[in-house]
Amino acid sequence: MDSIRKDLICHPDTPARAARAVWVEVSLSFDEGFALRFGIEGDVDALALPQGDAQLVIADTATDGLWQSSCFEAFLSEEGQPDYTEFNYAPDGRWACYQFDDYRSLFKSDDLAPWDMTSERGHALYALRVEPGIYPERGSRLGLSAVVEELDGTRSYWALAHPPGKPDFHHPDCFRLTLGAPERP
């Protein structure tokens, strides 16, 4: 399984106090598709995250508005195409998936529940691993992002890149990682 780690950048208008670093490891496998492992390093006890390590119980149905608290997001698009899929994962097992036919033009909500979600929590690291259950095509572009909420309600917004202005994970400038489907073994 090929794996790549990418550090996310905190939006300059939403400085984080408790999170020092946020990153994502992307793993690709011909048999299993791709997996994401989001990590937050810092004062984890000051963040709005569930306690303990867990094999999460994945919600039966999608939940809107996950970005209003701690949430991890991935955006997947084919190279040169305006349409994309947005995946949202909350640390408590809730999820959402949306299909867009162009920038912020919602086509439909989707029922692509993740195959698996697990979390690890320590004092200085929180990680959420998710297997979306899809197989990206060659030349797919991926945007990776996170909303990190502190216990007092303060939120910081993290992404591979940020366009000018307020945080906007849907902006094409955020789709910074190009994937190639793994080769058949």
Side-chain angles (χ1 to χ4, degrees), residues 167-181:
D168 182 0
F169 299 153
H170 291 255
H171 194 280
D173 287 354
C174 295
F175 292 64
R176 287 290 176 104
L177 180 59
T178 301
L179 301 175

Side-chain angles (χ1 to χ4, degrees), residues 73 75 84 86 98 100 102-105 167-175:
E73 302 184 3
F75 296 80
Y84 59 96
E86 176 185 0
Y98 306 98
F100 292 84
D102 205 343
Y103 173 72
R104 289 196 176 271
S105 175
D168 182 0
F169 299 153
H170 291 255
H171 194 280
D173 287 354
C174 295
F175 292 64

